[in-house]
Amino acid sequence: MLRPVAALCLFGILAGLPANAQNVAAAVLRVDYPSLLPISRLDLPTEDLGFAGAVLATEDNQTTGQFLGQEYETRTVSATPEEARSTFDQLIADGYRIIIVMARHDDLLGFADAAPGGTLILNARATDESLRSEDCRANVLHVAPSEQMLTDALAQFLVWKRWDRWLVIHGSHPEDLSLAAAYEASAAKFGARIVETREFTDTGGARATDSGHVLVQRQIPVFTQGASRHSVVVAADANDIFAPYLPFQTWDAAPVTGSAGLRPVTWHPAHEAWGATQMQNRFEELAGRPMREEDYQAWLALRVVGEAVTRTQSADPDALRDYMLGPDFEVAAFKGQPLTFRDWNGELRQPILLTDGRITVSVSPQEGFLHQVSPLDTLGLDRPESKCTAFGEESG
Amino acid sequence: MMRQALAALLLSGVALPAQAYKVFVSNERGNTVTVLDGETWEVLAEFPAGNRPRGITVSPDGKELYVCASDDDTVRVFDTETYEELHQLPSGPDPELFVLHPSGNPLYIANEDDNLVTVTDVKTRQILAEIPVGVEPEGMGISPDGTRVVNTSETTNMAHFIDTTTFEIVQNTLVDQRPRFAQFTADGSLLYVSAEIGGTVSVVDPASGEVLHKITFEVTGILPELLQPVGVRVTQDGSRVFVALGPSNRVAVVDGKTWEVLDYLLVGQRVWQLAFTPDEKFLITTNGNSNDVSIIDVAAGEVVQSVPVGQQPWGVVVTPQ
């Protein structure tokens, strides 16, 4: 109780204060799955991936909270897949009821089903469509975009460009097939044609080692030779196995998109529109490195919490969840329009950036893709398509 | 008195010797300020103004031009006749927008990256105070009696009312997402706060801090997401409120009593800031994406001219009569 009072005195707020300070405690749980190093060393993982975004959001929330008598505290923990569940249980035992989860489908569902009543989980990583559909849970809201939101965002741009003959190259892992299926659905939704599909089998080689480019320069043209006439390559490579090798190496001179080339993302460190420059500056000053998607998604999840606390003057997870799903909730997140939640499956509506890794090339939804509720609902599962019933009361 | 006399002269059709005012436009990407003649709208000059010039204002005597050079972390002061840089004022980091006390001193500056409002004495060139505010401070307004300065914070979504003698926040008002600008009426009875992403302008009672009304905008055939209120200006008599609506390329004309939107005027692309000529006959808009300013005839309610300026015009100020 002493610290908030001191903060209030410091900032000289005299009028209209709530009598007692509220404590808003949240945790960020990141599960670190074993994986190969990324193809590009620009993408090397960092210890504070996601966490730095959470720290920034907590600072942002606290700056606002000082005027309203709220104290924000965020605990960040990483766990191996083996420790994931016990770490989650410990957070619950320690009293955390607002938990940002950066984990895969199965772990996320395990947490959601183990959580006691009055727990709110915000998914900041898993992109599985099923989590927003048949596997949805009432206590899970999704700040991470779904696969379909991302593939729809790219598909709209390609259709707007009239690059409507796609050569799809997918990997051999189940996640790659799922991503390829999402591109197939997007193509059907917006009227593009997949003229041919090829599978790049992960044989464990072909990493960018010393002089690896020599092999790549020989292999990729051969692999892409003789494809049906196409205007664009769409790569579905969920694990960074081959897609970065495709640009400039394909047999035909077609642009590469999807998992390399032009990629759909929630954030990239060169995004500057809509005040994003300020966000990049603040983050870089704090973390000493560029801001990545994981950081943005953790930041956004906690900003969603902060915004709901500010407007409701409550720290109760159930009250916050109801407000987030209600008609009055909106949050600004450097995307040029307010973000809101789909009340039928708990997924955040958000514009998706298309980047070549250097600049923001475009932002979807694209002009001309219309929807009766919001152009943002042209991305991802729309109400009639979602099989989610856990949000039944709200979807009325 | 002077204005009434001038008005009488104009009405009687007597030609006046040119006591022309000047329009100064800050060009965020061009790193320059463009000077326009306030009668002919001719470009008189364009001069370097430091890195990323955004907020721009002029001293009450019209002699000194103040420019926030955001990437230089300073406020540059220029002579409005010679366009020479006279000196710099300490501003704190990343100054974006500021407001001058009605007496001409001090200057209240929003430091966007550091969650501060810096108060700088323009005569002694000393910082008088640094006031912690919400996240991403931007809009700055001052009450006509000079007792309250209002800062808006874009991520905190508040208007902070600061006492200009104690430099303490005395009141916070929550508004909609991403508040960009705060403008008092000339009689100090109302405060207008625009919310760019919320798409609204809140009408605030400065005495109580209460939001009395939220002005919303709607243009047939334009996506609601594009109606993003930024700059706000109110006529001296409070009867008309002009609101720049960003990427919708429109300026809304709002009734200052009923708060109904009366008209939408089509201007250049991505309109952000506005300034009246001292006689309120014209309103000048900065159009960041078309690199020009639009001149609105206030009485006729129409755009009469557009003038190309530098790269990505941000702010605009007109010298006093």
Side-chain angles (χ1 to χ4, degrees), chain A residues 11-12 15 60 63-64 67-68 275 278 281-282 303 307 310-311 330-332 334 336-338, chain B residues 112-113 132-136 155-158 160 169-170 172 174-175 177-178 197-198 225 228:
Chain A
F11 296 109
D60 286 356
T63 301
T64 303
F67 301 112
L68 297 166
Q278 281 87 258
N281 284 343
R282 276 188 288 140
R303 272 297 300 136
E307 190 58 29
T310 300
R311 302 288 167 176
E330 57 182 41
V331 66
F334 308 99
Q337 57 179 294
Chain B
E112 189 162 37
D113 283 353
V133 292
V135 183
E136 286 177 51
T155 291
T156 289
N157 302 319
M158 280 182 187
H160 308 285
I169 294 177
V170 289
N172 296 294
L174 265 177
V175 293
Q177 300 293 307
R178 212 165 171 77
I197 295 299
E225 290 79 11
Q228 301 182 350

mmCIF file of all heavy atoms in Angstrom, chain A residues 11-12 15 60 63-64 67-68 275 278 281-282 303 307 310-311 330-332 334 336-338, chain B residues 112-113 132-136 155-158 160 169-170 172 174-175 177-178 197-198 225 228:
data_model
loop_
_atom_site.group_PDB
_atom_site.id
_atom_site.type_symbol
_atom_site.label_atom_id
_atom_site.label_comp_id
_atom_site.label_asym_id
_atom_site.label_seq_id
_atom_site.Cartn_x
_atom_site.Cartn_y
_atom_site.Cartn_z
ATOM 1 N N PHE A 11 3.484 12.404 -8.113
ATOM 2 C CA PHE A 11 2.919 12.996 -9.304
ATOM 3 C C PHE A 11 1.830 14.018 -8.985
ATOM 4 O O PHE A 11 1.180 14.542 -9.864
ATOM 5 C CB PHE A 11 2.424 11.907 -10.245
ATOM 6 C CG PHE A 11 3.557 11.064 -10.725
ATOM 7 C CD1 PHE A 11 3.719 9.762 -10.309
ATOM 8 C CD2 PHE A 11 4.532 11.629 -11.541
ATOM 9 C CE1 PHE A 11 4.805 9.009 -10.734
ATOM 10 C CE2 PHE A 11 5.615 10.887 -11.960
ATOM 11 C CZ PHE A 11 5.753 9.574 -11.565
ATOM 12 N N GLY A 12 1.681 14.284 -7.722
ATOM 13 C CA GLY A 12 0.869 15.419 -7.324
ATOM 14 C C GLY A 12 -0.594 15.320 -7.698
ATOM 15 O O GLY A 12 -1.210 16.309 -8.052
ATOM 16 N N ALA A 15 -6.887 15.266 -6.831
ATOM 17 C CA ALA A 15 -8.346 15.199 -6.955
ATOM 18 C C ALA A 15 -8.816 13.877 -7.543
ATOM 19 O O ALA A 15 -8.143 13.280 -8.371
ATOM 20 C CB ALA A 15 -8.814 16.344 -7.839
ATOM 21 N N ASP A 60 4.195 0.758 -19.568
ATOM 22 C CA ASP A 60 3.146 1.603 -20.150
ATOM 23 C C ASP A 60 1.909 1.595 -19.250
ATOM 24 O O ASP A 60 1.339 2.647 -18.952
ATOM 25 C CB ASP A 60 2.764 1.106 -21.549
ATOM 26 C CG ASP A 60 3.834 1.424 -22.593
ATOM 27 O OD1 ASP A 60 4.819 2.094 -22.237
ATOM 28 O OD2 ASP A 60 3.679 1.002 -23.749
ATOM 29 N N THR A 63 2.496 3.550 -16.047
ATOM 30 C CA THR A 63 2.467 5.001 -16.231
ATOM 31 C C THR A 63 1.022 5.500 -16.184
ATOM 32 O O THR A 63 0.714 6.517 -15.578
ATOM 33 C CB THR A 63 3.141 5.375 -17.562
ATOM 34 O OG1 THR A 63 4.479 4.905 -17.521
ATOM 35 C CG2 THR A 63 3.145 6.875 -17.774
ATOM 36 N N THR A 64 0.142 4.748 -16.819
ATOM 37 C CA THR A 64 -1.275 5.106 -16.773
ATOM 38 C C THR A 64 -1.850 4.830 -15.388
ATOM 39 O O THR A 64 -2.606 5.646 -14.848
ATOM 40 C CB THR A 64 -2.059 4.306 -17.837
ATOM 41 O OG1 THR A 64 -1.492 4.573 -19.108
ATOM 42 C CG2 THR A 64 -3.533 4.677 -17.835
ATOM 43 N N PHE A 67 -2.026 7.306 -12.388
ATOM 44 C CA PHE A 67 -3.043 8.355 -12.324
ATOM 45 C C PHE A 67 -4.368 7.825 -11.805
ATOM 46 O O PHE A 67 -5.278 8.577 -11.508
ATOM 47 C CB PHE A 67 -3.257 8.978 -13.710
ATOM 48 C CG PHE A 67 -2.001 9.569 -14.280
ATOM 49 C CD1 PHE A 67 -1.390 9.015 -15.389
ATOM 50 C CD2 PHE A 67 -1.417 10.694 -13.701
ATOM 51 C CE1 PHE A 67 -0.230 9.562 -15.910
ATOM 52 C CE2 PHE A 67 -0.264 11.245 -14.207
ATOM 53 C CZ PHE A 67 0.342 10.674 -15.319
ATOM 54 N N LEU A 68 -4.484 6.497 -11.747
ATOM 55 C CA LEU A 68 -5.770 5.899 -11.380
ATOM 56 C C LEU A 68 -5.661 5.049 -10.122
ATOM 57 O O LEU A 68 -6.619 4.393 -9.730
ATOM 58 C CB LEU A 68 -6.291 5.034 -12.539
ATOM 59 C CG LEU A 68 -6.580 5.793 -13.835
ATOM 60 C CD1 LEU A 68 -6.757 4.827 -14.996
ATOM 61 C CD2 LEU A 68 -7.824 6.664 -13.670
ATOM 62 N N GLY A 275 2.318 6.099 -35.702
ATOM 63 C CA GLY A 275 2.989 6.327 -34.419
ATOM 64 C C GLY A 275 3.892 5.190 -33.986
ATOM 65 O O GLY A 275 4.474 5.237 -32.904
ATOM 66 N N GLN A 278 7.445 5.621 -32.377
ATOM 67 C CA GLN A 278 7.596 5.852 -30.930
ATOM 68 C C GLN A 278 7.715 4.535 -30.170
ATOM 69 O O GLN A 278 8.493 4.397 -29.237
ATOM 70 C CB GLN A 278 6.400 6.640 -30.377
ATOM 71 C CG GLN A 278 6.465 8.110 -30.645
ATOM 72 C CD GLN A 278 5.856 8.470 -31.992
ATOM 73 O OE1 GLN A 278 6.572 8.710 -32.956
ATOM 74 N NE2 GLN A 278 4.540 8.499 -32.083
ATOM 75 N N ASN A 281 11.127 3.082 -30.769
ATOM 76 C CA ASN A 281 12.113 3.811 -29.964
ATOM 77 C C ASN A 281 12.083 3.359 -28.509
ATOM 78 O O ASN A 281 13.117 3.106 -27.896
ATOM 79 C CB ASN A 281 11.820 5.322 -29.992
ATOM 80 C CG ASN A 281 12.245 5.947 -31.309
ATOM 81 O OD1 ASN A 281 13.017 5.373 -32.054
ATOM 82 N ND2 ASN A 281 11.717 7.129 -31.589
ATOM 83 N N ARG A 282 10.893 3.289 -27.953
ATOM 84 C CA ARG A 282 10.757 2.912 -26.536
ATOM 85 C C ARG A 282 11.266 1.497 -26.310
ATOM 86 O O ARG A 282 11.947 1.217 -25.330
ATOM 87 C CB ARG A 282 9.293 3.019 -26.093
ATOM 88 C CG ARG A 282 8.893 4.419 -25.680
ATOM 89 C CD ARG A 282 7.512 4.426 -25.074
ATOM 90 N NE ARG A 282 6.488 4.222 -26.093
ATOM 91 C CZ ARG A 282 5.410 3.491 -25.951
ATOM 92 N NH1 ARG A 282 5.177 2.868 -24.816
ATOM 93 N NH2 ARG A 282 4.525 3.394 -26.917
ATOM 94 N N ARG A 303 -1.304 -4.923 -22.865
ATOM 95 C CA ARG A 303 -1.988 -3.648 -23.100
ATOM 96 C C ARG A 303 -3.507 -3.858 -23.128
ATOM 97 O O ARG A 303 -4.254 -2.998 -22.664
ATOM 98 C CB ARG A 303 -1.518 -3.018 -24.413
ATOM 99 C CG ARG A 303 -0.286 -2.118 -24.271
ATOM 100 C CD ARG A 303 -0.564 -0.897 -23.378
ATOM 101 N NE ARG A 303 -1.624 -0.073 -23.915
ATOM 102 C CZ ARG A 303 -2.603 0.439 -23.194
ATOM 103 N NH1 ARG A 303 -2.685 0.215 -21.902
ATOM 104 N NH2 ARG A 303 -3.531 1.179 -23.752
ATOM 105 N N GLU A 307 -5.783 -1.814 -20.712
ATOM 106 C CA GLU A 307 -6.876 -0.973 -21.217
ATOM 107 C C GLU A 307 -8.196 -1.349 -20.523
ATOM 108 O O GLU A 307 -8.979 -0.480 -20.141
ATOM 109 C CB GLU A 307 -6.981 -1.136 -22.738
ATOM 110 C CG GLU A 307 -7.903 -0.157 -23.415
ATOM 111 C CD GLU A 307 -7.542 1.303 -23.175
ATOM 112 O OE1 GLU A 307 -6.349 1.623 -22.962
ATOM 113 O OE2 GLU A 307 -8.464 2.133 -23.165
ATOM 114 N N THR A 310 -8.099 0.001 -16.967
ATOM 115 C CA THR A 310 -8.302 1.451 -16.968
ATOM 116 C C THR A 310 -9.786 1.802 -17.095
ATOM 117 O O THR A 310 -10.296 2.660 -16.388
ATOM 118 C CB THR A 310 -7.526 2.077 -18.147
ATOM 119 O OG1 THR A 310 -6.142 1.783 -17.987
ATOM 120 C CG2 THR A 310 -7.713 3.575 -18.184
ATOM 121 N N ARG A 311 -10.465 1.105 -18.013
ATOM 122 C CA ARG A 311 -11.865 1.472 -18.305
ATOM 123 C C ARG A 311 -12.835 0.927 -17.275
ATOM 124 O O ARG A 311 -13.880 1.510 -17.049
ATOM 125 C CB ARG A 311 -12.258 0.985 -19.708
ATOM 126 C CG ARG A 311 -11.386 1.514 -20.816
ATOM 127 C CD ARG A 311 -11.613 2.984 -21.100
ATOM 128 N NE ARG A 311 -10.546 3.515 -21.957
ATOM 129 C CZ ARG A 311 -10.517 4.759 -22.432
ATOM 130 N NH1 ARG A 311 -11.487 5.603 -22.142
ATOM 131 N NH2 ARG A 311 -9.511 5.161 -23.175
ATOM 132 N N GLU A 330 -11.988 -1.218 -26.916
ATOM 133 C CA GLU A 330 -11.100 -1.059 -28.061
ATOM 134 C C GLU A 330 -9.729 -0.669 -27.561
ATOM 135 O O GLU A 330 -9.593 -0.071 -26.497
ATOM 136 C CB GLU A 330 -11.650 -0.056 -29.083
ATOM 137 C CG GLU A 330 -11.933 1.320 -28.554
ATOM 138 C CD GLU A 330 -12.520 2.248 -29.629
ATOM 139 O OE1 GLU A 330 -13.380 1.793 -30.413
ATOM 140 O OE2 GLU A 330 -12.118 3.420 -29.669
ATOM 141 N N VAL A 331 -8.710 -1.049 -28.344
ATOM 142 C CA VAL A 331 -7.347 -0.708 -27.943
ATOM 143 C C VAL A 331 -6.582 -0.259 -29.186
ATOM 144 O O VAL A 331 -6.767 -0.796 -30.280
ATOM 145 C CB VAL A 331 -6.657 -1.899 -27.228
ATOM 146 C CG1 VAL A 331 -6.433 -3.073 -28.156
ATOM 147 C CG2 VAL A 331 -5.346 -1.464 -26.575
ATOM 148 N N ALA A 332 -5.774 0.786 -28.997
ATOM 149 C CA ALA A 332 -4.921 1.266 -30.082
ATOM 150 C C ALA A 332 -3.594 0.534 -29.993
ATOM 151 O O ALA A 332 -3.051 0.353 -28.918
ATOM 152 C CB ALA A 332 -4.701 2.770 -29.959
ATOM 153 N N PHE A 334 -0.934 0.782 -32.773
ATOM 154 C CA PHE A 334 -0.056 1.200 -33.869
ATOM 155 C C PHE A 334 -0.410 0.514 -35.184
ATOM 156 O O PHE A 334 0.445 0.213 -35.986
ATOM 157 C CB PHE A 334 1.423 0.961 -33.492
ATOM 158 C CG PHE A 334 1.767 1.566 -32.160
ATOM 159 C CD1 PHE A 334 1.808 0.789 -31.017
ATOM 160 C CD2 PHE A 334 1.990 2.932 -32.049
ATOM 161 C CE1 PHE A 334 2.094 1.358 -29.782
ATOM 162 C CE2 PHE A 334 2.273 3.503 -30.819
ATOM 163 C CZ PHE A 334 2.323 2.720 -29.686
ATOM 164 N N GLY A 336 -3.348 1.754 -36.903
ATOM 165 C CA GLY A 336 -4.190 2.693 -37.637
ATOM 166 C C GLY A 336 -5.676 2.568 -37.403
ATOM 167 O O GLY A 336 -6.459 3.317 -37.985
ATOM 168 N N GLN A 337 -6.071 1.627 -36.607
ATOM 169 C CA GLN A 337 -7.495 1.510 -36.267
ATOM 170 C C GLN A 337 -7.629 0.758 -34.948
ATOM 171 O O GLN A 337 -6.721 0.028 -34.550
ATOM 172 C CB GLN A 337 -8.278 0.812 -37.369
ATOM 173 C CG GLN A 337 -7.776 -0.559 -37.732
ATOM 174 C CD GLN A 337 -8.651 -1.169 -38.828
ATOM 175 O OE1 GLN A 337 -9.821 -1.449 -38.618
ATOM 176 N NE2 GLN A 337 -8.074 -1.369 -39.996
ATOM 177 N N PRO A 338 -8.758 0.965 -34.245
ATOM 178 C CA PRO A 338 -8.909 0.279 -32.961
ATOM 179 C C PRO A 338 -9.034 -1.235 -33.145
ATOM 180 O O PRO A 338 -9.629 -1.698 -34.115
ATOM 181 C CB PRO A 338 -10.206 0.864 -32.387
ATOM 182 C CG PRO A 338 -10.895 1.541 -33.502
ATOM 183 C CD PRO A 338 -9.897 1.822 -34.576
ATOM 184 N N GLU B 112 7.616 13.144 -26.449
ATOM 185 C CA GLU B 112 6.872 11.942 -26.781
ATOM 186 C C GLU B 112 7.515 10.649 -26.274
ATOM 187 O O GLU B 112 6.829 9.748 -25.821
ATOM 188 C CB GLU B 112 6.687 11.868 -28.291
ATOM 189 C CG GLU B 112 5.743 10.759 -28.708
ATOM 190 C CD GLU B 112 5.235 10.946 -30.111
ATOM 191 O OE1 GLU B 112 6.015 11.400 -30.955
ATOM 192 O OE2 GLU B 112 4.066 10.616 -30.354
ATOM 193 N N ASP B 113 8.827 10.531 -26.351
ATOM 194 C CA ASP B 113 9.472 9.265 -25.996
ATOM 195 C C ASP B 113 9.706 9.105 -24.495
ATOM 196 O O ASP B 113 10.079 8.033 -24.037
ATOM 197 C CB ASP B 113 10.819 9.126 -26.718
ATOM 198 C CG ASP B 113 10.630 8.743 -28.183
ATOM 199 O OD1 ASP B 113 9.472 8.469 -28.565
ATOM 200 O OD2 ASP B 113 11.614 8.727 -28.928
ATOM 201 N N PRO B 132 6.036 14.530 -15.115
ATOM 202 C CA PRO B 132 5.719 13.190 -15.634
ATOM 203 C C PRO B 132 4.234 13.087 -15.989
ATOM 204 O O PRO B 132 3.372 13.463 -15.184
ATOM 205 C CB PRO B 132 6.050 12.257 -14.464
ATOM 206 C CG PRO B 132 6.830 13.090 -13.496
ATOM 207 C CD PRO B 132 6.398 14.501 -13.694
ATOM 208 N N VAL B 133 3.960 12.621 -17.211
ATOM 209 C CA VAL B 133 2.571 12.435 -17.644
ATOM 210 C C VAL B 133 2.417 11.009 -18.165
ATOM 211 O O VAL B 133 3.244 10.147 -17.871
ATOM 212 C CB VAL B 133 2.186 13.488 -18.707
ATOM 213 C CG1 VAL B 133 2.140 14.884 -18.097
ATOM 214 C CG2 VAL B 133 3.170 13.464 -19.885
ATOM 215 N N GLY B 134 1.357 10.753 -18.939
ATOM 216 C CA GLY B 134 1.091 9.406 -19.432
ATOM 217 C C GLY B 134 2.018 9.011 -20.578
ATOM 218 O O GLY B 134 2.935 9.750 -20.943
ATOM 219 N N VAL B 135 1.739 7.842 -21.176
ATOM 220 C CA VAL B 135 2.604 7.291 -22.212
ATOM 221 C C VAL B 135 2.359 8.011 -23.544
ATOM 222 O O VAL B 135 1.217 8.150 -23.975
ATOM 223 C CB VAL B 135 2.356 5.777 -22.378
ATOM 224 C CG1 VAL B 135 3.310 5.187 -23.404
ATOM 225 C CG2 VAL B 135 2.498 5.063 -21.045
ATOM 226 N N GLU B 136 3.448 8.430 -24.174
ATOM 227 C CA GLU B 136 3.420 9.141 -25.446
ATOM 228 C C GLU B 136 2.636 10.447 -25.398
ATOM 229 O O GLU B 136 1.620 10.601 -26.068
ATOM 230 C CB GLU B 136 2.868 8.257 -26.565
ATOM 231 C CG GLU B 136 3.849 7.203 -27.004
ATOM 232 C CD GLU B 136 3.253 6.305 -28.066
ATOM 233 O OE1 GLU B 136 2.728 6.828 -29.053
ATOM 234 O OE2 GLU B 136 3.296 5.089 -27.882
ATOM 235 N N THR B 155 -1.022 6.792 -25.541
ATOM 236 C CA THR B 155 -1.244 5.385 -25.177
ATOM 237 C C THR B 155 -1.956 5.262 -23.838
ATOM 238 O O THR B 155 -2.664 4.288 -23.582
ATOM 239 C CB THR B 155 0.097 4.615 -25.206
ATOM 240 O OG1 THR B 155 0.519 4.527 -26.572
ATOM 241 C CG2 THR B 155 -0.021 3.204 -24.663
ATOM 242 N N THR B 156 -1.805 6.269 -22.964
ATOM 243 C CA THR B 156 -2.550 6.281 -21.706
ATOM 244 C C THR B 156 -4.010 6.691 -21.939
ATOM 245 O O THR B 156 -4.904 6.323 -21.180
ATOM 246 C CB THR B 156 -1.842 7.223 -20.712
ATOM 247 O OG1 THR B 156 -0.627 6.608 -20.298
ATOM 248 C CG2 THR B 156 -2.692 7.506 -19.495
ATOM 249 N N ASN B 157 -4.225 7.454 -23.011
ATOM 250 C CA ASN B 157 -5.579 7.892 -23.381
ATOM 251 C C ASN B 157 -6.200 8.854 -22.371
ATOM 252 O O ASN B 157 -7.372 8.731 -22.016
ATOM 253 C CB ASN B 157 -6.514 6.695 -23.595
ATOM 254 C CG ASN B 157 -5.991 5.753 -24.657
ATOM 255 O OD1 ASN B 157 -5.485 6.206 -25.690
ATOM 256 N ND2 ASN B 157 -6.084 4.461 -24.407
ATOM 257 N N MET B 158 -5.396 9.782 -21.899
ATOM 258 C CA MET B 158 -5.908 10.766 -20.948
ATOM 259 C C MET B 158 -5.583 12.176 -21.390
ATOM 260 O O MET B 158 -4.605 12.416 -22.105
ATOM 261 C CB MET B 158 -5.244 10.577 -19.581
ATOM 262 C CG MET B 158 -5.814 9.468 -18.748
ATOM 263 S SD MET B 158 -4.960 9.417 -17.166
ATOM 264 C CE MET B 158 -5.672 7.918 -16.512
ATOM 265 N N HIS B 160 -4.357 15.280 -19.305
ATOM 266 C CA HIS B 160 -3.839 15.637 -17.986
ATOM 267 C C HIS B 160 -3.919 17.148 -17.838
ATOM 268 O O HIS B 160 -3.359 17.881 -18.654
ATOM 269 C CB HIS B 160 -2.379 15.201 -17.836
ATOM 270 C CG HIS B 160 -2.121 13.755 -18.179
ATOM 271 N ND1 HIS B 160 -2.481 12.715 -17.352
ATOM 272 C CD2 HIS B 160 -1.553 13.179 -19.266
ATOM 273 C CE1 HIS B 160 -2.124 11.567 -17.919
ATOM 274 N NE2 HIS B 160 -1.573 11.831 -19.075
ATOM 275 N N ILE B 169 -0.074 17.882 -11.723
ATOM 276 C CA ILE B 169 -1.316 17.440 -12.363
ATOM 277 C C ILE B 169 -2.440 17.543 -11.346
ATOM 278 O O ILE B 169 -2.329 17.023 -10.241
ATOM 279 C CB ILE B 169 -1.183 15.999 -12.876
ATOM 280 C CG1 ILE B 169 -0.147 15.944 -14.007
ATOM 281 C CG2 ILE B 169 -2.518 15.466 -13.351
ATOM 282 C CD1 ILE B 169 0.121 14.551 -14.533
ATOM 283 N N VAL B 170 -3.495 18.246 -11.724
ATOM 284 C CA VAL B 170 -4.599 18.402 -10.776
ATOM 285 C C VAL B 170 -5.809 17.575 -11.180
ATOM 286 O O VAL B 170 -6.731 17.382 -10.402
ATOM 287 C CB VAL B 170 -5.009 19.885 -10.645
ATOM 288 C CG1 VAL B 170 -3.923 20.654 -9.903
ATOM 289 C CG2 VAL B 170 -5.275 20.513 -11.993
ATOM 290 N N ASN B 172 -7.221 14.303 -14.193
ATOM 291 C CA ASN B 172 -7.015 13.446 -15.366
ATOM 292 C C ASN B 172 -8.368 13.061 -15.942
ATOM 293 O O ASN B 172 -9.245 12.637 -15.203
ATOM 294 C CB ASN B 172 -6.264 12.169 -14.976
ATOM 295 C CG ASN B 172 -4.877 12.468 -14.469
ATOM 296 O OD1 ASN B 172 -4.029 12.936 -15.211
ATOM 297 N ND2 ASN B 172 -4.653 12.248 -13.186
ATOM 298 N N LEU B 174 -10.137 10.583 -18.771
ATOM 299 C CA LEU B 174 -9.994 9.503 -19.759
ATOM 300 C C LEU B 174 -10.801 9.845 -21.003
ATOM 301 O O LEU B 174 -11.972 10.208 -20.910
ATOM 302 C CB LEU B 174 -10.539 8.204 -19.183
ATOM 303 C CG LEU B 174 -9.571 7.238 -18.507
ATOM 304 C CD1 LEU B 174 -10.352 6.056 -17.948
ATOM 305 C CD2 LEU B 174 -8.496 6.752 -19.471
ATOM 306 N N VAL B 175 -10.150 9.733 -22.152
ATOM 307 C CA VAL B 175 -10.863 9.929 -23.410
ATOM 308 C C VAL B 175 -10.657 8.682 -24.271
ATOM 309 O O VAL B 175 -10.165 7.670 -23.790
ATOM 310 C CB VAL B 175 -10.375 11.210 -24.130
ATOM 311 C CG1 VAL B 175 -10.759 12.444 -23.337
ATOM 312 C CG2 VAL B 175 -8.871 11.168 -24.367
ATOM 313 N N GLN B 177 -9.316 6.285 -27.672
ATOM 314 C CA GLN B 177 -7.973 5.828 -28.030
ATOM 315 C C GLN B 177 -7.168 6.866 -28.806
ATOM 316 O O GLN B 177 -7.626 7.436 -29.774
ATOM 317 C CB GLN B 177 -8.064 4.540 -28.868
ATOM 318 C CG GLN B 177 -8.755 3.374 -28.154
ATOM 319 C CD GLN B 177 -7.977 2.858 -26.969
ATOM 320 O OE1 GLN B 177 -6.808 2.530 -27.081
ATOM 321 N NE2 GLN B 177 -8.612 2.802 -25.823
ATOM 322 N N ARG B 178 -5.953 7.037 -28.368
ATOM 323 C CA ARG B 178 -4.932 7.844 -29.018
ATOM 324 C C ARG B 178 -5.306 9.335 -29.165
ATOM 325 O O ARG B 178 -5.476 9.858 -30.266
ATOM 326 C CB ARG B 178 -4.581 7.257 -30.384
ATOM 327 C CG ARG B 178 -3.123 7.520 -30.720
ATOM 328 C CD ARG B 178 -2.571 6.707 -31.847
ATOM 329 N NE ARG B 178 -1.247 7.199 -32.191
ATOM 330 C CZ ARG B 178 -0.144 6.951 -31.483
ATOM 331 N NH1 ARG B 178 -0.198 6.158 -30.451
ATOM 332 N NH2 ARG B 178 1.010 7.478 -31.822
ATOM 333 N N ILE B 197 -7.539 7.232 -32.997
ATOM 334 C CA ILE B 197 -7.950 5.851 -33.253
ATOM 335 C C ILE B 197 -9.368 5.607 -32.724
ATOM 336 O O ILE B 197 -10.133 4.837 -33.287
ATOM 337 C CB ILE B 197 -6.931 4.875 -32.631
ATOM 338 C CG1 ILE B 197 -5.573 5.025 -33.341
ATOM 339 C CG2 ILE B 197 -7.410 3.433 -32.705
ATOM 340 C CD1 ILE B 197 -5.578 4.715 -34.819
ATOM 341 N N GLY B 198 -9.749 6.294 -31.673
ATOM 342 C CA GLY B 198 -11.122 6.190 -31.172
ATOM 343 C C GLY B 198 -12.120 6.798 -32.146
ATOM 344 O O GLY B 198 -13.303 6.456 -32.137
ATOM 345 N N GLU B 225 -12.941 3.588 -40.203
ATOM 346 C CA GLU B 225 -11.578 3.528 -39.670
ATOM 347 C C GLU B 225 -10.698 4.671 -40.174
ATOM 348 O O GLU B 225 -9.678 4.990 -39.587
ATOM 349 C CB GLU B 225 -10.904 2.200 -40.053
ATOM 350 C CG GLU B 225 -11.453 0.962 -39.373
ATOM 351 C CD GLU B 225 -12.748 0.462 -39.979
ATOM 352 O OE1 GLU B 225 -13.134 0.940 -41.072
ATOM 353 O OE2 GLU B 225 -13.407 -0.401 -39.362
ATOM 354 N N GLN B 228 -10.134 9.788 -38.774
ATOM 355 C CA GLN B 228 -9.235 9.858 -37.624
ATOM 356 C C GLN B 228 -8.992 11.305 -37.221
ATOM 357 O O GLN B 228 -8.149 11.989 -37.809
ATOM 358 C CB GLN B 228 -7.910 9.163 -37.965
ATOM 359 C CG GLN B 228 -8.103 7.693 -38.343
ATOM 360 C CD GLN B 228 -6.776 6.989 -38.632
ATOM 361 O OE1 GLN B 228 -5.727 7.620 -38.723
ATOM 362 N NE2 GLN B 228 -6.834 5.671 -38.790
#
